[in-house]
Amino acid sequence: MSSTDEARHGIGICENCDSIQPVEVRPGGSVHAVGNPNCQCGSNDFRLLE
């Protein structure tokens, strides 16, 4: 399996409340919080901080 087929980790920001969370970026580009699938505000919409 190549590295492009593996998830990578980074820091993300919640699109709803701007909370900073550790995230996993999956090969398709989707961004998910690590551990709890939702932010403390209830949102599950994150973007990767570059």
Side-chain angles (χ1 to χ4, degrees):
M1 188 177 337
S2 73
S3 62
T4 58
D5 293 337
E6 297 175 8
R8 61 187 177 104
H9 292 91
I11 301 297
I13 187 166
C14 176
E15 294 282 15
N16 186 54
C17 73
D18 295 330
S19 175
I20 303 295
Q21 305 278 343
V23 295
E24 176 182 79
V25 182
R26 297 188 181 157
S30 60
V31 180
H32 302 273
V34 173
N36 188 351
N38 296 321
C39 179
Q40 57 193 340
C41 74
S43 175
N44 63 358
D45 192 15
F46 295 92
R47 74 180 181 313
L48 184 65
L49 291 178
E50 302 280 341

